[in-house]
Amino acid sequence: MLVAQGLGHVFSNGHVETAALDGIDHSFEDGSFTAIMGPSGSGKSTLLYCLAGLIRASQGSALFGGIDVTSAKPKELDRLRRDDFGFVFQHFNLLEALTAIQNVTLPSLFGGQSVTVDAAMEALGNVGLREKAKSYPTELSGGQQQRVSIARALAQTRRVIFADEPTGALDRKSGFQVMDQFRQFREVGSTVVMVTHDPQVAAYADRVLFLVDGRLIDTMDAPTARTVSDRMTTLESSTR
């Protein structure tokens, strides 16, 4: 289980400090799918990055498997990212000089879990791209590139998948195709934590967290696009 306890973060720019997160408490249960939403500047991505150890939180803790991500040593963080954490971002982070299948097997070259060609092909097949295995990123559409990045995460058994606006650069049809693939993470028992601004994307999750000014102000179980949209409209109105 991934647990945030009093998680907070302050960005400092010279003499100006900005509180991006303020005392977040939440438990992300194993195998759950949680979406994080809120108005612009509410701290959504900061929360995701602090949970993943990509940003060192200023206060509180983010506990995973008995490890406090906020204070873990660099080598321990590297191990978590290599063995336990997977990432899917809005920008696909594919190497243009490598084919789709080479991009899927790439993490194993850096000491991560071994990914065989057969496992990579299976992962590409699971996202409908088996026939694109030898294609380069420049030969793929945006939705196809995002599915390659998802296949890369699927090819390795990661306990937590962090996703930051994974459909933000895609058209609606491609976005829904990508979200259909996210269900596969749950099928293998991975915990998914995703930032999104789209109520229809958030409706794929089991639970939605709503942030305002860096604070967790509400949660919603069994969300629908309509209920999430209504809640976001209320929040955005209250912050104007």
Side-chain angles (χ1 to χ4, degrees):
M1 184 181 294
L2 179 66
V3 182
Q5 296 180 338
L7 199 62
H9 188 66
V10 175
F11 288 107
S12 179
N13 182 12
H15 298 292
V16 178
E17 292 188 342
T18 303
L21 289 181
D22 184 6
I24 303 293
D25 293 304
H26 190 74
S27 297
F28 300 85
E29 298 179 359
D30 289 342
S32 64
F33 186 172
T34 303
I36 303 172
M37 299 193 74
S40 178
S42 60
K44 303 183 295 295
S45 293
T46 302
L47 173 57
L48 186 83
Y49 289 12
C50 286
L51 289 169
L54 298 176
I55 292 176
R56 289 279 191 178
S58 304
Q59 64 186 50
S61 60
L63 303 174
F64 176 77
I67 299 169
D68 185 354
V69 176
T70 64
S71 59
K73 295 181 179 179
K75 285 187 178 180
E76 187 67 28
L77 286 176
D78 288 343
R79 187 196 64 76
L80 287 173
R81 298 184 193 119
R82 186 183 66 238
D83 298 335
D84 295 310
F85 293 170
F87 302 92
V88 179
F89 296 116
Q90 178 176 346
H91 301 290
F92 319 124
N93 294 330
L94 302 181
L95 295 184
E96 293 187 0
L98 301 182
T99 63
I101 193 167
Q102 289 171 334
N103 268 288
V104 173
T105 59
L106 182 64
S108 63
L109 299 179
F110 296 94
Q113 299 172 24
S114 176
V115 180
T116 65
V117 171
D118 287 343
M121 285 297 295
E122 180 179 358
L124 285 170
N126 286 338
V127 298
L129 291 178
R130 180 181 290 271
E131 75 284 359
K132 298 290 186 179
K134 295 184 179 180
S135 297
Y136 291 90
T138 54
E139 300 172 322
L140 303 174
S141 68
Q144 289 171 333
Q145 289 183 60
Q146 187 64 297
R147 280 187 279 161
V148 172
S149 72
I150 291 172
R152 184 166 56 194
L154 281 171
Q156 305 172 87
T157 304
R158 299 304 180 103
R159 294 176 64 186
V160 185
I161 302 295
F162 295 100
D164 190 9
E165 297 282 7
T167 64
L170 308 179
D171 61 62
R172 188 155 295 275
K173 180 180 178 181
S174 296
F176 290 153
Q177 290 175 338
V178 164
M179 291 314 301
D180 285 337
Q181 309 310 318
F182 266 69
R183 290 174 172 159
Q184 295 188 44
F185 290 129
R186 296 172 60 196
E187 291 173 4
V188 298
S190 297
T191 300
V192 180
V193 184
M194 174 186 70
V195 166
T196 183
H197 68 279
D198 190 334
Q200 292 186 313
V201 170
Y204 280 81
D206 305 316
R207 172 176 292 178
V208 180
L209 309 185
F210 295 96
L211 271 61
V212 172
D213 295 333
R215 296 188 298 274
L216 176 59
I217 66 162
D218 196 9
T219 64
M220 178 185 294
D221 293 329
T224 66
R226 174 60 64 85
T227 57
V228 173
S229 179
D230 289 346
R231 188 69 180 106
M232 281 299 299
T233 298
T234 300
L235 292 178
E236 288 168 352
S237 297
S238 67
T239 57
R240 289 171 186 164

